[in-house]
Amino acid sequence: MEPVGVPRADLNDDGRAKLAQTRDALKEANRRLIEGKRWYDQVRSRAAGEDRP
């Protein structure tokens, strides 16, 4: 998993556009966290033998 880049804002940037970029970065970060947790839960459950028939 890699960090999600933080959009940088300059003085003359459109605030709405930067807000949208920040929103998109947060969505991507949350998606990665959710997928990482799902993967970890699967690994943990396999290690505990919960997936065995």
Side-chain angles (χ1 to χ4, degrees):
M1 292 181 18
E2 294 184 22
V4 175
V6 177
R8 297 195 182 269
D10 291 328
L11 185 59
N12 295 322
D13 287 342
D14 179 11
R16 292 170 296 187
K18 290 300 172 180
L19 181 60
Q21 290 175 356
T22 301
R23 178 202 61 214
D24 293 344
L26 286 170
K27 284 182 180 179
E28 176 65 17
N30 284 333
R31 183 189 65 78
R32 291 180 187 185
L33 287 169
I34 290 166
E35 287 179 3
K37 182 183 182 310
R38 187 176 297 135
W39 171 83
Y40 181 76
D41 288 344
Q42 289 173 355
V43 169
R44 190 174 61 189
S45 109
R46 273 183 259 153
E50 295 173 9
D51 285 349
R52 293 183 183 163

